Amino acid sequence: MLPSAVLVFLLLLPLSASEEPEELTVKPEHNVTLGCRALSDGAVTLLEWKRRDLKDDGYVFFYRNQRAYEKYQHLHYRGRVELRDPEMRHGDVSVVLKNVSVNDTGTYDCRVIIAGGNESRQLIDLTVTDSDPPAGQEGRYLVCVSVAGCFLLIVFVVLSVLCCKRCNGPTKNPSYKAPAAESTEVT
């Protein structure tokens, strides 16, 4: 049943695209939570929050040996970033960025290592802007999901029809009569 395998692949394809960054849009002078979660609930041995465009100029937040190190932070972030849950229960290593400004716009990279070596990463695209999103932007995701859903529905219907035709072909149809065998008598 090859069509079923293709259908399962098409249905699971969107689930594998989870590497996309989460997008956040906030207004200046607000606090924002940059969410990140460890893959397991063990002790956090290393937590790094970086902003991709800062390169090696320091961290947004740095935690090792059961404590945060402000001296490794980029000057722009000192005194403005803290763990949302200082005990990091249930692998929650999210940070709160206080009093954001347009200068905080960028892609944030969370990297966390748990005792035993389990590592996980998450990306967040943060946009800080005074203006509201243009009309229609909120529904863009919904439109994409709807179009993808319609496409998958059409593929499913086509594959189902092909499967049914194949399974209910002429040999399995009770009203179907095979043509009479041609006479091969030699006279």
Side-chain angles (χ1 to χ4, degrees):
M1 288 204 131
L2 182 60
S4 297
V6 170
L7 180 62
V8 169
F9 173 76
L10 288 173
L11 289 174
L12 293 178
L13 186 61
L15 298 177
S16 65
S18 60
E19 299 296 321
E20 292 297 314
E22 177 186 348
E23 293 185 19
L24 292 175
T25 302
V26 295
K27 293 191 180 259
E29 301 177 2
H30 286 86
N31 296 345
V32 64
T33 298
L34 304 176
C36 187
R37 188 165 297 281
L39 292 177
S40 62
D41 202 14
V44 174
T45 57
L46 177 70
L47 171 61
E48 299 173 338
W49 273 97
K50 290 184 175 183
R51 197 169 104 191
R52 291 200 160 179
D53 61 332
L54 292 179
K55 304 288 181 212
D56 294 327
D57 292 338
Y59 295 92
V60 172
F61 186 82
F62 185 81
Y63 176 95
R64 185 177 58 195
N65 300 327
Q66 300 179 359
R67 73 182 195 97
Y69 289 84
E70 193 172 89
K71 70 180 182 179
Y72 295 127
Q73 282 182 299
H74 188 277
L75 289 175
H76 181 70
Y77 293 100
R78 286 193 186 165
R80 297 179 48 229
V81 184
E82 63 186 30
L83 284 167
R84 176 170 64 181
D85 178 6
E87 295 177 22
M88 296 184 270
R89 290 177 288 240
H90 309 292
D92 183 6
V93 291
S94 304
V95 293
V96 177
L97 178 56
K98 299 176 182 178
N99 194 27
V100 295
S101 72
V102 244
N103 295 330
D104 292 318
T105 295
T107 301
Y108 291 80
D109 185 358
C110 169
R111 177 177 173 241
V112 58
I113 299 176
I114 300 298
N118 291 333
E119 180 177 339
S120 59
R121 291 188 101 111
Q122 285 175 260
L123 295 176
I124 296 178
D125 278 338
L126 177 66
T127 303
V128 182
T129 179
D130 275 329
S131 61
D132 291 326
Q137 288 282 26
E138 307 88 15
R140 185 179 289 177
Y141 176 76
L142 247 143
V143 169
C144 289
V145 169
S146 298
V147 168
C150 288
F151 173 75
L152 289 175
L153 181 63
I154 290 169
V155 169
F156 177 75
V157 168
V158 168
L159 290 176
S160 296
V161 168
L162 290 174
C163 244
C164 287
K165 282 186 177 184
R166 185 175 173 197
C167 292
N168 295 329
T171 57
K172 295 194 179 187
N173 188 344
S175 64
Y176 177 78
K177 293 185 181 180
E182 290 186 26
S183 173
T184 56
E185 286 181 28
V186 178
T187 52

